[in-house]
Amino acid sequence: MFNLKDPKLSFLLTTDASNLQSYLYSRDYYVLEIQGFFQGKFESSIMAFTNLPSDDLRRDALHIMEYFDGESLIIKYKDETSPKKIFRDGGERPLGV
């Protein structure tokens, strides 16, 4: 069980895309595959944990959305307690856990 509000924890949460896991492993993320249920359908998602600095985590998130054609993903920076939804244009919106 993870405390997703732990300030020592940083992660990305996104839907699974072809070859995304390989990219994340190459960047030294710890990858956890999870199943989500949204709007009546199951979907595969990836939660990727890292110790990268916040700037690198943000850069990776933007790169993932560009390269893997995503519109947004969930990001939680180290030293923060709440995740954010980050969009392809770089905008962020706070979320609750």
Side-chain angles (χ1 to χ4, degrees):
M1 179 79 87
F2 292 103
N3 175 8
L4 298 179
K5 295 180 106 177
D6 185 345
K8 296 182 229 164
L9 190 66
S10 60
F11 62 83
L12 298 173
L13 176 63
T14 186
T15 55
D16 196 359
S18 178
N19 298 319
L20 177 57
Q21 286 188 36
S22 295
Y23 171 78
L24 292 168
Y25 282 126
S26 75
R27 296 280 297 146
D28 291 328
Y29 283 84
Y30 172 77
V31 177
L32 180 64
E33 295 179 63
I34 57 176
Q35 285 285 327
F37 188 75
F38 183 68
Q39 296 180 343
K41 295 188 303 188
F42 283 99
E43 62 182 11
S44 295
S45 297
I46 293 176
M47 184 169 257
F49 301 92
T50 184
N51 286 323
L52 289 173
S54 294
D55 289 343
D56 291 344
L57 183 63
R58 180 180 167 79
R59 219 177 349 263
D60 278 351
L62 294 171
H63 177 77
I64 287 167
M65 287 185 285
E66 179 183 340
Y67 187 79
F68 295 97
D69 202 29
E71 293 300 316
S72 66
L73 56 82
I74 306 300
I75 190 169
K76 186 187 158 302
Y77 299 109
K78 193 172 184 180
D79 298 325
E80 294 186 7
T81 57
S82 295
K84 298 176 181 178
K85 188 169 197 173
I86 185 170
F87 299 92
R88 190 176 225 176
D89 67 2
E92 296 182 1
R93 185 182 65 187
L95 299 174
V97 175

